[in-house]
Amino acid sequence: MKIITKLLILGLFAGEAIASKECEVCVKVMDDVRTSLPKADARKKPAIEQALGEYCAKESLTNREKKICYYIDPIKRDVAQPFSLGMTTLKLCQRISKQNPEICTVKFPVQTQNLEKKDLSKLRVKQLKKILSERGVECKGCVEKDEFIKKVLDTEHLAGTEL
């Protein structure tokens, strides 16, 4: 009985860890908007909508944050309602992703700076392919995982260039 309880608890923690990565860009945007709001305006829907507009108008946003703003702009009112009730950002993003499922598919790129070969070997081939595609590189003839790792290491100079 104790083993089953421990497994259930571990499963819950694993589920939360997976869910936190699920809508990572949306959660960051909503957290930034929440911190920019004064405490007095945290429950006022018009103030929340205005804060969302001001955040999305910033020049310093990354492309992924701009994409979330693009998705959220038409549904600001629907976002402001649960936001004003104090819903957690993850739950908020999951709720609005029901209206637009693409919201939770936007993810930050895999950080590849200062990765060593032993760190890259922990990644899946799918992730290695994604890193290469973000760098604009194809790995023709690559079959084994080691070949993908070598190509990622060879194209490290292309890392960090945001499109």
Side-chain angles (χ1 to χ4, degrees):
M1 186 69 173
K2 291 180 182 178
I3 295 173
I4 293 172
T5 307
K6 288 180 182 179
L7 287 175
L8 286 174
I9 291 171
L10 285 174
L12 289 174
F13 287 125
E16 288 177 17
I18 291 169
S20 67
K21 282 291 203 181
E22 182 183 349
C23 301
E24 59 186 347
V25 179
C26 178
V27 168
K28 182 198 179 298
V29 168
M30 292 301 156
D31 282 339
D32 290 348
V33 170
R34 184 164 277 154
T35 56
S36 71
L37 268 174
K39 192 96 170 155
D41 292 341
R43 303 252 184 239
K44 298 177 183 172
K45 293 178 204 169
I48 294 169
E49 291 176 30
Q50 182 181 359
L52 280 167
E54 289 172 359
Y55 178 83
C56 291
K58 289 181 183 177
E59 294 289 326
S60 61
L61 296 178
T62 65
N63 286 341
R64 286 165 176 82
E65 290 167 335
K66 288 177 186 175
K67 194 172 199 174
I68 290 295
C69 286
Y70 174 78
Y71 291 144
I72 288 175
D73 190 49
I75 56 171
K76 276 185 194 174
R77 294 235 163 147
D78 297 334
V79 173
Q81 171 60 30
F83 200 101
S84 68
L85 298 174
M87 185 178 282
T88 64
T89 52
L90 178 60
K91 291 262 188 208
L92 174 67
C93 289
Q94 289 171 340
R95 178 179 277 186
I96 62 175
S97 72
K98 291 177 183 174
Q99 293 177 352
N100 187 350
E102 294 176 354
I103 288 175
C104 281
T105 61
V106 180
K107 298 192 183 321
F108 287 115
V110 178
Q111 295 295 325
T112 58
Q113 295 173 341
N114 301 328
L115 281 181
E116 297 179 14
K117 187 173 180 177
K118 64 180 180 178
D119 296 329
L120 289 173
S121 64
K122 294 177 184 177
L123 297 177
R124 295 175 178 255
V125 173
K126 183 177 181 179
Q127 292 171 312
L128 294 170
K129 285 181 181 180
K130 185 176 179 185
I131 292 169
L132 289 172
S133 70
E134 287 174 355
R135 293 178 181 177
V137 177
E138 278 189 51
C139 192
K140 292 184 179 180
C142 294
V143 179
E144 297 293 323
K145 185 175 182 176
D146 290 335
E147 295 169 337
F148 285 102
I149 292 171
K150 183 179 182 318
K151 192 70 164 184
V152 168
L153 291 172
D154 290 344
T155 60
E156 194 167 7
H157 65 281
L158 300 173
T161 54
E162 184 87 21
L163 297 176

